[in-house]
């Protein structure tokens, strides 16, 4: 296979980190390309993210949780931790970014409840840390509320709650793939080359130029950005760029509940942290409830995402302990989310040029990854500049991207107008989520080649029937628009036909 | 929105399957009401279009294949004055003004229209629970379908999803699924049922398993779906001895466990039964919103299509009665409540006044219940405030199989206004 591309910067990996970097680099006059081994963007760790972008109470929660599980004497937190600074900076950049990229999101409050004295102690600790974080680094304060105030705000929360901690200003909720797809779409609009189904097999370097061999041909590049996520170690090893770190993993089973529960709770409801316990119910902007009640499970095989029956019972039991009205009848789907971190220093990210390979930047991002993503992208710009890459700002960078119209969210007048313009917006394909043929065709135009990409970009098949009605129709539309036989359309992987750049 | 034009109708029927069409036929036969029938598919007929089990025994007194039955209904309805809208998806139901009229917004490739109507009949049917809703664990691979999706692929779109299939579930639809798989030229590797009894006509199922040569695994639960990309098989646990074994396949069809397709009542005042997930109705099939009725499988998941057709017809008669000025006295109703393992009772309410009317015997035919799993020697009791108003013993109640509830035998004199009737099972 011959050379398919020459570029200055090659980003390996199309998750939130790769996508954020790809978009950020478009602000400069350099050639950038992104390769993703799967047919979909956001196909591994980012896909399983609960995609809360947070600061304040939730950050305090994650620090406390870690300290509970860490050996005694471990330092709880230090506001000087670089990962905290990045998270805060990223959080502050996110709202504007979502505005530019037209990404649907919401700003729910967080309510952490205490059901006994011990949990109340925990809440006080969270309050102290959260307010210390926001005092030192900015952000809205949290406050304790009593049972009465809690009931007024969230009447469906368990009657066993005696008090709660309220954080009204430090959370952004978004659908993870929406975010990643939007970043890459905007990067593409600004000239970034994106190649899907492109798996890096071998990396070599000669005369200051990297030759990256992929299943599709070779790519020559001066700089490599390793945003391989949970496969970052494999990628680094190909270039001898792994230095002294490895990867460790754990995973948690999650659930999504039916949107008939819309309005049951309007804030994120969390239980107080306990050893290995982090229970939360997150109301999504789509009306569904996201159940994050699971345990940290060790991972032997990083690709193992098989759900387990016992976890369903656990999740339902824990969810009901927060909001008794939910039941197993409400479950519409479930999946695993994987976390990873580096073994050199589990408490920090790796954002650095490899010692073993010049011009090779490793990005190994621990949880949370979505919160700091925009800030990490900026750090990469600085790293590249330090390495001598000439970065001149583009005056013609276009930060704006328009989302695919969401027919179901439009007003009657807008619906009428859209159908009048294009009758395919009057052909409803997914009944549960009211997704039209027009939206699906637009998603395919923007790069969707699989059922899952259509699902992520339009919500077709994400409703309560889970593709019972729309599954075969979506396949037919994909086949027609991509001019492929029906039996070659895949759900997620592997792809049989590749769309190159 | 006040300047929007709304098209005026007397009755809006949502769903062009057996229940919806039968209601329209009855309404147009007996009245001059302006009726609109809305279906989101390009052709009428509903679920029977894609099935080939036989239909029409109880409503048309003849036996048809699914597609023929659907075509027959289509032909009959097109002879009437009912306005038919296909490829027309109803987006929502809301109140129109303060005169008790209802408004429905409809999208179709022809445009977006709003209609105003005094009566609405919800006949939007049901769908099978997905793998996700049934919480079947394992890998999230492709090749896992419901019968609905399978039949759409094979019978309507002429696609062949795989070579070797396993069927999960044993309700009647599983047999339909087996026929579809054979029609697509696929091998059936087996049928898995977690209950110890098959949840359909077990003699038919057994004959079919002999004829198509596939084994039936009863009392076995799927512990995990195997296969990273495409499904490669399942891991089963036999309940009797907890033995784990594996079966291979490249297609997995998850059948049955129907649930109402009642998305239209989300965010409306129409009350939803947490047991059926469909709208709550009284014995005249009226929902909690005045003049909005529901019939067919939107009430509780799958019944045979001929029963749905009869229900549609009954709803039509109720609508006619209302259109002639009959007023229902709401305060006379009694609510039914089912206790596990009884899955539901439909209708969920009864108007006591009706129990004295001459129509009562006919009304009774629609009352039904289902148990979750097969129960041997059960006794079912109906209690109202600790007073037994009905009790009956059975030798066996098969799981997820409809059982008629003979409410005309209930001792209605013992019932007090405003109380609920609790149906419970002992064995």
């Amino acid at each position: 296979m011959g050379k398919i591309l020459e570029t200055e910067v090659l980003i390996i990996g199309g998750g939130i980190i790769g996508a954020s970097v790809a978009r950020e680099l478009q602000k400069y006059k350099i050639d950038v390309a992104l390769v993703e081994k799967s047919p979909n963007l956001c196909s591994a760790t980012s896909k399983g993210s609960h995609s809360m972008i947070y600061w304040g109470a939730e950050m305090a929660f994650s620090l406390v949780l870690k300290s509970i599980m860490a050996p005694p004497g471990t330092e709880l937190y230090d506001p000087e931790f670089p990962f905290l600074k990045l998270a805060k900076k990223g959080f502050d950049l996110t709202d504007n970014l979502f505005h530019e990229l037209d990404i649907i999101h919401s700003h729910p409050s967080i309510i952490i409840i205490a059901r006994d004295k011990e949990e109340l102690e925990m809440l006080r600790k969270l309050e102290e840390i959260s307010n210390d974080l926001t005092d030192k680094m900015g952000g809205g304060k949290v406050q304790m509320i009593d049972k009465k105030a809690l009931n007024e705000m969230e009447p469906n929360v368990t009657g066993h709650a005696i008090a709660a901690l309220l954080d009204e200003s430090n959370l952004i909720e978004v659908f993870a793939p929406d975010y990643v797809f939007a970043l890459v779409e905007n990067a593409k609009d600004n000239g970034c080359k994106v190649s899907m189904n492109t798996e890096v097999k071998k990396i070599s370097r000669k005369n200051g130029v990297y030759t990256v061999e992929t299943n599709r041909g070779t790519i020559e590049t001066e700089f490599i950005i390793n945003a391989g996520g949970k496969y970052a170690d494999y990628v680094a090893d190909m270039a001898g760029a792994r230095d002294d770190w490895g990867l460790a993993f754990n995973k948690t089973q999650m659930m999504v509940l039916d949107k008939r529960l819309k309005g049951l709770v309007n804030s994120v409801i969390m239980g107080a942290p306990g050893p290995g316990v982090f229970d939360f119910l997150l109301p999504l902007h789509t009306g569904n409830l996201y159940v994050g009640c699971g345990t940290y499970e060790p991972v032997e095989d990083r690709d193992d995402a098989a759900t387990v029956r016992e976890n369903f019972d656990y999740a339902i039991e824990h969810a009901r302990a927060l909001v008794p009205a939910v039941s197993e009848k409400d479950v519409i789907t479930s999946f695993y989310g994987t976390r990873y971190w580096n073994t050199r220093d589990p408490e920090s990210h790796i954002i650095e040029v490899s010692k073993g390979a010049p011009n090779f930047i490793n990005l190994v991002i621990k949880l949370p990854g979505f919160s700091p993503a925009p800030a990490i992208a900026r750090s990469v710009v600085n790293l590249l500049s330090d390495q001598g890459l000439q970065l001149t700002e583009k005056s013609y960078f276009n930060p704006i991207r328009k989302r695919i119209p969401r027919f179901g969210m439009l007003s009657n007048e807008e619906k009428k107008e859209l159908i009048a313009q294009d009758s395919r917006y009057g052909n409803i394909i997914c009944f549960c989520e009211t997704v039209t043929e027009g939206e699906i065709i637009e998603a395919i135009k923007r790069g969707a080649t699989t059922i899952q990409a259509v699902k992520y970009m339009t919500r077709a098949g994400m409703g309560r029937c889970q593709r019972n009605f729309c599954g075969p129709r979506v396949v037919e539309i994909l086949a027609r628009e991509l001019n492929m036989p029906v039996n070659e359309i895949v759900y997620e992987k592997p792809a049989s036909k590749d769309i190159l750049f | 929105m006040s300047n929007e034009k709304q098209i005026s109708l007397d009755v809006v029927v949502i769903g062009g399957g057996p229940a919806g069409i039968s209601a329209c036929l009855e309404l147009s036969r007996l009245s001059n009401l302006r009726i609109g029938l809305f279906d989101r598919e390009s052709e009428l007929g509903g679920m029977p279009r894609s099935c080939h089990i036989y239909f029409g025994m109880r409503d048309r007194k003849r036996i048809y294949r699914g597609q023929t039955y659907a075509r027959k209904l289509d032909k009959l309805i097109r002879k009437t004055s009912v306005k038919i809208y296909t490829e027309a998806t109803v987006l929502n139901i809301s109140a129109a003004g303060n005169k008790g009229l209802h408004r429905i917004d409809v999208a179709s490739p022809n445009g977006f229209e709003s209609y105003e109507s005094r009566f609405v009949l919800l006949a939007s049917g049901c769908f099978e629970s997905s793998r996700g809703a049934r919480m079947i664990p394992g890998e999230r691979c492709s090749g896992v379908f419901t019968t609905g999706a399978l039949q759409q692929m094979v019978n309507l779109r002429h696609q062949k999803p795989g070579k070797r299939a396993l069927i999960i579930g044993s309700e009647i639809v599983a047999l339909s699924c087996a026929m579809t798989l054979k029609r697509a030229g696929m091998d059936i590797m087996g049928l898995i049922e977690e209950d110890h009894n098959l949840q359909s006509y077990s003699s038919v199922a057994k004959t079919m398993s002999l004829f198509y040569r596939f084994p039936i695994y009863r009392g076995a639960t799927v512990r995990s779906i195997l296969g990273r990309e495409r499904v490669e098989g399942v891991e089963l646990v036999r309940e009797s001895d907890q033995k784990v074994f594996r079966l291979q396949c490249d297609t997995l069809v998850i059948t049955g466990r129907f649930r109402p397709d009642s998305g239209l009542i989300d965010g409306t005042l129409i009350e939803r039964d947490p047991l059926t997930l469909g709208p709550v109705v009284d014995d005249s099939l009226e929902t909690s919103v005045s003049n909005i009725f529901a019939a067919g499988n939107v009430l509780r998941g799958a019944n045979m299509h001929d029963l749905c057709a009869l229900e549609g017809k009954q709803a039509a008669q109720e609508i006619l009665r209302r259109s002639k000025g009959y007023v229902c006295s709401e305060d006379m109703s009694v609510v039914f409540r089912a206790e596990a393992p009884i899955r539901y009772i439909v209708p969920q309410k009864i108007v006591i006044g009706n129990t004295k009317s001459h129509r009562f015997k006919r009304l009774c035919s629609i009352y039904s219940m289902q148990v979750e799993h097969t129960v041997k020697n059960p006794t079912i009791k109906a209690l109202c405030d600790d007073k037994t108003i009905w009790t009956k013993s059975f030798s066996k109640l098969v799981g997820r199989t409809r059982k008629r509830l003979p409410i005309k035998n209930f001792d209605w004199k013992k019932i007090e206004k405003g109380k609920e009737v609790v149906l419970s099972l002992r064995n």
Side-chain angles (χ1 to χ4, degrees), chain B residues 131-198:
Chain B
R131 170 203 174 169
R134 292 167 72 150
M135 297 193 281
I136 300 176
E139 297 277 3
R140 291 162 50 78
C141 42
S142 65
V144 182
F145 310 105
T146 54
T147 318
L150 174 84
Q151 292 186 331
Q152 239 198 87
M153 284 188 275
V154 175
N155 296 342
L156 300 182
R157 288 159 210 275
H158 312 289
Q159 303 163 2
K160 183 179 171 181
K163 291 195 178 93
R164 299 175 307 156
L166 270 172
I167 303 170
I168 296 182
S170 68
E171 292 171 55
I172 297 166
V173 63
L175 308 182
S176 180
C177 168
M179 290 166 83
T180 306
L181 289 170
K182 276 290 155 190
R183 188 172 163 180
M186 294 170 68
D187 290 334
I188 302 170
M189 310 302 288
L191 183 149
I192 303 157
E193 170 56 55
E194 47 177 70
D195 202 343
H196 292 279
N197 271 76
L198 294 179

Side-chain angles (χ1 to χ4, degrees), chain A residues 260 301 306-307 309 312 328-329 331-332 334 412 416 419 423 426 428 431 434 464-465 468-469 473 476 486, chain B residues 40-41 89 103 108-109 112 127 132-133 135 137-138 140 146 152 157 222 228 261 263 266 272 274-275:
Chain A
R260 67 174 166 269
D301 167 0
T307 52
R309 189 166 285 268
F312 291 122
E328 60 185 41
K329 281 204 165 197
V331 178
I332 63 171
S334 57
N412 288 348
K416 198 176 249 177
I419 300 176
S423 65
I428 315 280
F431 303 125
T434 321
R464 57 175 63 121
C465 90
N468 179 59
F469 289 115
R473 293 159 192 254
E476 224 172 44
V486 162
Chain B
R40 57 197 189 184
E41 303 278 351
T89 308
R103 168 201 167 125
S108 84
F112 177 93
F127 58 85
M135 297 193 281
R140 291 162 50 78
T146 54
Q152 239 198 87
R157 288 159 210 275
V222 177
R228 287 273 158 93
D261 194 354
D266 286 353
R272 179 179 260 131
L275 297 177

Side-chain angles (χ1 to χ4, degrees), chain A residues 77 80 103 135 143 150 161 168 178 218 225-226 230 240 258 293 298-299 331-332 418 420 431 439 461 489:
Chain A
Y77 90 98
E80 292 302 310
I103 297 171
D135 281 348
Q143 52 168 320
L150 172 64
E168 291 178 303
D178 261 357
T218 55
I225 292 165
N226 175 12
K230 67 175 178 177
D258 196 288
C293 300
V299 170
V331 178
I332 63 171
L418 199 54
F431 303 125
E439 290 160 84
I489 301 295

Side-chain angles (χ1 to χ4, degrees), chain A residues 41-85:
Chain A
L41 294 164
C42 196
S43 63
T45 319
S46 298
K47 171 176 82 172
S49 162
H50 55 51
S51 47
M52 285 194 273
I53 290 159
Y54 57 83
W55 182 240
E58 172 82 32
M59 184 58 86
F61 186 99
S62 111
L63 291 166
V64 168
L65 188 60
K66 218 161 275 161
S67 78
I68 295 172
M69 294 166 77
T74 311
E75 194 181 7
L76 180 63
Y77 90 98
D78 178 342
E80 292 302 310
F81 279 161
F83 90 89
L84 284 176
K85 286 185 169 166

Side-chain angles (χ1 to χ4, degrees), chain A residues 246-258:
Chain A
L247 290 184
F249 306 86
N250 68 20
K251 61 176 184 175
T252 300
Q253 193 171 318
M254 311 281 186
M255 273 179 181
V256 178
L257 305 185
D258 196 288

Side-chain angles (χ1 to χ4, degrees), chain B residues 198 200-208:
Chain B
L198 294 179
S200 57
Y201 308 116
S202 57
S203 56
V204 180
K206 281 170 196 159
T207 314
M208 204 178 263

